[in-house]
mmCIF file of all heavy atoms in Angstrom:
data_model
loop_
_atom_site.group_PDB
_atom_site.id
_atom_site.type_symbol
_atom_site.label_atom_id
_atom_site.label_comp_id
_atom_site.label_asym_id
_atom_site.label_seq_id
_atom_site.Cartn_x
_atom_site.Cartn_y
_atom_site.Cartn_z
ATOM 1 N N ASN A 26 3.962 123.113 27.704
ATOM 2 C CA ASN A 26 4.134 122.527 26.376
ATOM 3 C C ASN A 26 5.523 121.921 26.201
ATOM 4 O O ASN A 26 5.714 121.017 25.394
ATOM 5 C CB ASN A 26 3.890 123.586 25.295
ATOM 6 C CG ASN A 26 2.430 123.983 25.241
ATOM 7 O OD1 ASN A 26 1.544 123.205 25.580
ATOM 8 N ND2 ASN A 26 2.178 125.214 24.831
ATOM 9 N N LYS A 217 0.123 131.065 33.893
ATOM 10 C CA LYS A 217 1.188 130.550 34.761
ATOM 11 C C LYS A 217 2.435 131.453 34.746
ATOM 12 O O LYS A 217 3.154 131.524 35.742
ATOM 13 C CB LYS A 217 1.549 129.106 34.402
ATOM 14 C CG LYS A 217 2.441 128.917 33.186
ATOM 15 C CD LYS A 217 3.849 128.553 33.560
ATOM 16 C CE LYS A 217 4.804 128.449 32.412
ATOM 17 N NZ LYS A 217 4.480 128.797 31.079
ATOM 18 N N ASP A 218 2.681 132.142 33.653
ATOM 19 C CA ASP A 218 3.847 133.029 33.608
ATOM 20 C C ASP A 218 3.624 134.255 34.503
ATOM 21 O O ASP A 218 4.532 134.663 35.229
ATOM 22 C CB ASP A 218 4.147 133.448 32.162
ATOM 23 C CG ASP A 218 4.541 132.251 31.303
ATOM 24 O OD1 ASP A 218 5.414 131.487 31.735
ATOM 25 O OD2 ASP A 218 3.953 132.071 30.213
ATOM 26 N N GLY A 274 -0.987 134.752 24.506
ATOM 27 C CA GLY A 274 -1.237 133.353 24.854
ATOM 28 C C GLY A 274 -0.023 132.450 24.765
ATOM 29 O O GLY A 274 -0.077 131.305 25.189
ATOM 30 N N SER A 275 1.103 132.945 24.212
ATOM 31 C CA SER A 275 2.312 132.105 24.200
ATOM 32 C C SER A 275 3.515 132.929 24.695
ATOM 33 O O SER A 275 3.808 132.937 25.884
ATOM 34 C CB SER A 275 2.553 131.495 22.821
ATOM 35 O OG SER A 275 2.659 132.510 21.823
ATOM 36 N N LYS A 279 4.923 135.575 28.716
ATOM 37 C CA LYS A 279 6.286 135.371 29.243
ATOM 38 C C LYS A 279 7.020 136.706 29.286
ATOM 39 O O LYS A 279 7.699 137.028 30.263
ATOM 40 C CB LYS A 279 7.057 134.367 28.378
ATOM 41 C CG LYS A 279 6.432 132.986 28.404
ATOM 42 C CD LYS A 279 7.225 131.995 27.596
ATOM 43 C CE LYS A 279 6.364 130.802 27.238
ATOM 44 N NZ LYS A 279 5.669 130.205 28.392
HETATM 45 MG MG1 MG B 27 2.163 129.075 27.655
#
Side-chain angles (χ1 to χ4, degrees):
N26 291 332
K217 79 106 184 6
D218 296 310
S275 57
K279 296 182 200 309

